[in-house]
Amino acid sequence: MLLQLCSTVLIGLALGASGASNFPAELPRCHFGDTQCIIDVSHTLVRQYARTGLASAAFPQVEPFLVKRFDISDGRSGSLSLKLNFRDVNVEGLSGVKFDRAVGFQANPATSKFEMYGSFPKIVLRGKYLADGRILILPIRGDGDADITLHNPKFSVKFKPSTQVRNGRTHLSVDKLKVLVEPQKMNIKLTNLFNGDRALGSNLNQFLNENWSDVWSELQPSVHVAIAEIMKSILSTLFKRFAYEDIFLEGSDDPKPCKYGDSECMVKIINYLITEKSTVGDRDINLVKLDPLPVAKMSVKQGEDSPVNIDLTFIDNNIEGISTLKFSKVKGFGKDLAKKHELQFNAAKLSLVGPYSIKGKVLILPISGTGKSNMTLVNCDVSVVFTGEPFEKDGETYMKATNLKIIAKPERLYYYFSNLFNGDKALGDNMNAFLNDNWEAIYKEVQNSMQSAFSEIFQAIISKVFSKYPYEKFFEA
């Protein structure tokens, strides 16, 4: 039921990997065992298509997700003996899933583990119910509307497949699957209990909520079995349709390491990493997720002697569009890493999006405001130059980027600042129009400040990669 989401994620990965033309081309594919990639792709898939589904790729809508029938029966001797039959249940909250950890998904499914762990902020089940049973010595009867909320439920899904080789391809079937769900709290509301007796119904709902932990303890084995059976059915359908090899990228798709100083090879490998990895990262080479790239703080300041005299600060912004970068030239990166290195690329569209604050003047006009902003560079040619600084750690050589400078030449630059002049719409609209009409003159004035701010960001990224992965391992031995 609610953890059908995990199965849906695997369906999406399979369809994307099998090359189905009607599946979103922007969905990255993962290599065997790249569990961080699997987590990131899962988040991308759910957040893009949870509310709409993608019928052409057999990806169902999961927000809300309709379960036609769901039965729970617990007749054990204990404080609770209850049969609950749910029908036409809408499950809400699946799009908020957070996958924390994945284990396994290796090339050999016969020996690999298959495990997913995560949580939801909240899961709500709304539908019709039929209840028959007892709690303590009190009989329970009811037929009406049910509203059950699981708060901050954590979950784990584990399954063990069996394998069969057909026509040289490995096909799986799910023999064993285990689901665990643990909410931090549960709220229950059942209407029309005891043939509509409001007093008895209210008292029982109150009792169920005050003792939710005991209720959940009694019901969870049946809930887990029900969810596991549904997921097993979904996964079996998936594995009948796709061979296991079709779900992941082959290792041979990775570009081979370059020789020291081989500029042509390095252009190809960097473009591959930007295209394939920028939205998910790659832990094997310490490549952080680059698109979108969080920027904690960036400041652009101009002095009083400039026609553009501003103090502009961006807090908790994202740089979007790094996946559009196309590298054309690479210099340096020889055996002597202490020499100068250069990267040249074009950004089709690069945006800085998020909260801002500004005060000062632009040409002869005063400007002030705090709100949301979008600053977008279009068709921007960029040159990045830095010096490598070697340092030793555990007997291996690493590199830190120093003296990094950026030169950026956009074909066009668009500005948008919300809530300028304390929300005065007329003044704000006029100022945004003025900024865009005069973008070239304004950029010329703030160019050095902007490039200096971006230089700090790029220097941190490059240093993070090369300071945690030995320099020589980037290259062919």
Side-chain angles (χ1 to χ4, degrees), residues 20 25 33 51-52 81 92 102 111 115 150 157 183 229 240 256 380:
R51 297 184 182 279
T52 61
S81 176
E92 302 172 3
T111 59
E115 302 177 7
L150 304 179
V157 181
E229 288 301 315
K240 282 181 182 178
K256 294 181 179 179
C380 186

Side-chain angles (χ1 to χ4, degrees), residues 125-184:
L125 299 91
R126 293 190 176 97
K128 300 293 183 180
Y129 82 95
L130 175 65
D132 183 17
R134 63 174 175 80
I135 187 164
L136 298 177
I137 62 171
L138 181 66
I140 300 175
R141 300 286 187 275
D143 183 357
D145 295 324
D147 193 317
I148 300 176
T149 301
L150 304 179
H151 297 276
N152 300 311
K154 293 185 178 181
F155 69 84
S156 66
V157 181
K158 303 178 183 179
F159 67 90
K160 184 69 177 176
S162 58
T163 62
Q164 182 181 13
V165 178
R166 299 198 301 267
N167 299 322
R169 310 295 282 173
T170 305
H171 293 263
L172 308 185
S173 59
V174 181
D175 295 333
K176 298 178 181 179
L177 187 145
K178 186 177 181 181
V179 173
L180 291 176
V181 182
E182 282 295 338
Q184 291 185 4

Side-chain angles (χ1 to χ4, degrees), residues 356 358 367-372 416-432 435:
Y356 82 96
I358 189 172
I367 185 172
S368 64
T370 300
K372 300 288 187 180
Y416 176 75
F417 297 97
S418 71
N419 200 46
L420 286 168
F421 306 105
N422 294 319
D424 187 306
K425 189 176 185 303
L427 286 176
D429 289 347
N430 287 337
M431 176 56 76
N432 277 301
L435 294 174

Side-chain angles (χ1 to χ4, degrees), residues 76-82 133-140 204 207-208 211 214-215 218:
R76 298 179 300 161
S77 59
S79 60
L80 179 67
S81 176
L82 182 63
R134 63 174 175 80
I135 187 164
L136 298 177
I137 62 171
L138 181 66
I140 300 175
L204 181 55
F207 179 87
L208 293 173
N211 297 274
D214 293 333
V215 176
E218 295 288 344

